[in-house]
Amino acid sequence: MASGMDAFYRPLETAAPWLGNFPPLFAAALGAIVLTMIGGIMWRASPRRGGAVRFAGNFVLIAVFLLAALRFVRLDPAFDSLADNLAMPVQTVDGGETRVPLSADGHYWIEAKVNGTRQRFMVDTGATLTAISQDVADEASVKADPLRLPVVVRTANGAMQAQMVRLDEVRFGSIVARDMDAIVTADTGGLNVLGMNFLSRLKGWRVEDGVLILSPRHPVAS
C-alpha cells in the first residue's frame, strides 16, 4: 500500500518540491481536487476529455479516502479490539465446566447474557469488579443504585467516577451468576469486563494449554 502511494506521490513532489512539506495523503487529495477542477474546465470545450479527467480526479479522491480510513482503522485500538472480538474463539461446555480458548489478542473473551441480552466480556483477573459500558446498561435495563455512592476507578485515561449497579443475572455456558455487583463506565470504548467478584463465585478456575476453564459450584444447562 505504501509503495503505491510513493509511486503516485513522487512525481508530484518532483514537479512541485513544496509538496514535500505535506503528508502524502494530503498532497494526493490536493492533487485530486486540482485534477477534478481542471476536468470541469476542460469539460466545457471537450466533454469527453473533461469527463475523463474529472473521473480520474474523483477516483484518486476515493482512493485517498479509503487509504485514510484503512490507516485510521489500523491505528485505532478500538477497531483492533472489534476485529478480534468478531473472530474470537467459541466457548464450550465439557463435563459441567465452561472452556474458553485464548483469543488472538491474548485475552479470554466470553459471550454472555446480561438480564437476557447478549453481550461480550473480557475476563480480567486484575479487575476487582465487573464493569459494563453505558450502552450495555441501557440495553439490559440496568439502573444505577441511588443509595450507593459512585466509586473512583483508574483507567488508561486517568481517574473517573463510575456508578455502582447490580446485575440481576449473568449467564453463559454452564455458569449463572445472580445479584452481582458491577460498575457502569462511560470511558471504556464499549469494553465489558468480568472481574474477580465474578470469578470468586466459582468453585474454581484455571488455565490449561491456553484454555481458561471455569468450574461453577452448581452447573446449569447451557
Side-chain angles (χ1 to χ4, degrees):
M1 194 72 70
S3 60
M5 281 305 303
D6 289 341
F8 178 82
Y9 180 62
R10 284 174 182 171
L12 292 176
E13 188 176 11
T14 302
W18 52 270
L19 283 174
N21 298 325
F22 296 100
L25 286 179
F26 178 82
L30 185 62
I33 293 173
V34 172
L35 197 63
T36 302
M37 293 174 62
I38 294 175
I41 296 173
M42 292 176 58
W43 185 83
R44 298 176 182 177
S46 176
R48 179 174 295 181
R49 292 182 179 178
V53 173
R54 284 201 304 181
F55 175 81
N58 290 331
F59 179 81
V60 173
L61 276 176
I62 294 174
V64 168
F65 172 79
L66 291 176
L67 285 172
L70 287 173
R71 179 173 294 182
F72 176 76
V73 168
R74 183 65 178 172
L75 294 178
D76 192 333
F79 285 93
D80 290 338
S81 176
L82 176 61
D84 290 332
N85 288 350
L86 290 176
M88 73 176 188
V90 179
Q91 65 209 30
T92 59
V93 176
D94 183 12
E97 297 178 323
T98 297
R99 306 173 69 89
V100 185
L102 184 66
S103 182
D105 63 356
H107 297 292
Y108 293 101
W109 294 90
I110 288 173
E111 187 169 298
K113 288 186 176 181
V114 179
N115 296 353
T117 66
R118 192 177 299 275
Q119 310 294 342
R120 280 176 175 169
F121 286 84
M122 183 184 76
V123 179
D124 186 357
T125 58
T128 303
L129 290 173
T130 293
I132 62 174
S133 68
Q134 185 61 58
D135 290 340
V136 170
D138 294 339
E139 186 177 348
S141 300
V142 176
K143 304 298 182 183
D145 188 343
L147 300 179
R148 304 178 72 177
L149 295 176
V151 297
V152 176
V153 296
R154 297 190 179 278
T155 69
N157 297 324
M160 58 175 290
Q161 283 193 342
Q163 293 292 330
M164 290 292 302
V165 298
R166 185 172 292 273
L167 305 180
D168 293 337
E169 182 179 274
V170 176
R171 177 186 293 267
F172 65 90
S174 60
I175 300 168
V176 58
R178 297 185 174 90
D179 297 326
M180 186 173 71
D181 285 339
I183 57 175
V184 177
T185 58
D187 192 29
T188 59
L191 178 67
N192 306 305
V193 172
L194 282 177
M196 286 302 300
N197 70 317
F198 165 78
L199 294 175
S200 63
R201 293 188 172 208
L202 302 176
K203 180 180 179 180
W205 59 275
R206 64 190 187 277
V207 175
E208 293 182 359
D209 297 327
V211 177
L212 176 63
I213 303 175
L214 305 175
S215 304
R217 298 181 187 277
H218 306 288
V220 297
S222 58

